[in-house]
Amino acid sequence: MARHLRQLRPVELGFADTAPVRLSFTADLGVPRGALYRALADEVAEWPRWFTAVTRITPLGGGSARRVELKGGGVFSETIVAAHPGERYTYRVDETNAPGITAMVEDWNLSLAPSGAARARWTVAVDGPLTARTVVRMSRFGLGRAFREAMRNLDRRLRARV
């Protein structure tokens, strides 16, 4: 059963660069940045098909917000704070049932890999009491593994469309 959602401190786009804890992960895909951006920003209901930690994403507010449900019962209500096609997709967590977190942003930066295809950099930026920040730092390995698996799955999925 999901615990009650708590309101987080509202933060802006710059929080992705200034948060006390920032975990970044990078992967090169064999698809154009536009295809990757569409999968992230326009096809949000499809995320559970390639990001296995996600069980459901429900777009809200005409696409300016969404509710994300994770395996294990985690829930996030998010607001999109940057949507720059082919370049950047960033969302702020407004409410969550994750303990201890007081502010959170996830930032997807898309650039060109040396191959000319897409490079994705996902940054998870978090604030909270020392205990919460420590737990997030300790989750680096698991988040990195989930990201790499998700990017492999998404790369295969997007290449199959071509």
Side-chain angles (χ1 to χ4, degrees), residues 9-134:
R9 184 175 85 241
V11 292
E12 298 302 323
L13 183 60
F15 186 75
D17 299 318
T18 62
V21 177
R22 293 180 309 278
L23 305 178
S24 291
F25 309 95
T26 304
D28 292 350
L29 289 81
V31 298
R33 287 187 299 173
L36 175 56
Y37 180 85
R38 283 188 297 280
L40 292 172
D42 299 334
E43 301 167 0
V44 295
E46 297 297 311
W47 278 47
R49 295 178 183 263
W50 54 268
F51 209 131
T52 58
V54 176
T55 59
R56 176 183 297 162
I57 296 184
T58 307
L60 304 168
S64 64
R66 61 200 203 162
R67 178 183 169 97
V68 179
E69 299 173 37
L70 304 176
K71 287 184 180 172
V75 178
F76 298 89
S77 292
E78 302 171 341
T79 297
I80 310 309
V81 294
H84 305 291
E87 297 176 10
R88 190 172 200 180
Y89 185 63
T90 308
Y91 39 92
R92 172 187 64 227
V93 177
D94 297 316
E95 296 178 318
T96 186
N97 62 357
I101 295 172
T102 59
M104 183 173 177
V105 164
E106 292 184 40
D107 184 36
W108 292 84
N109 274 278
L110 311 182
S111 60
L112 287 177
S115 67
R119 171 171 287 164
R121 186 183 78 218
W122 178 49
T123 300
V124 177
V126 175
D127 194 7
L130 178 60
T131 304
R133 293 191 318 256
T134 301

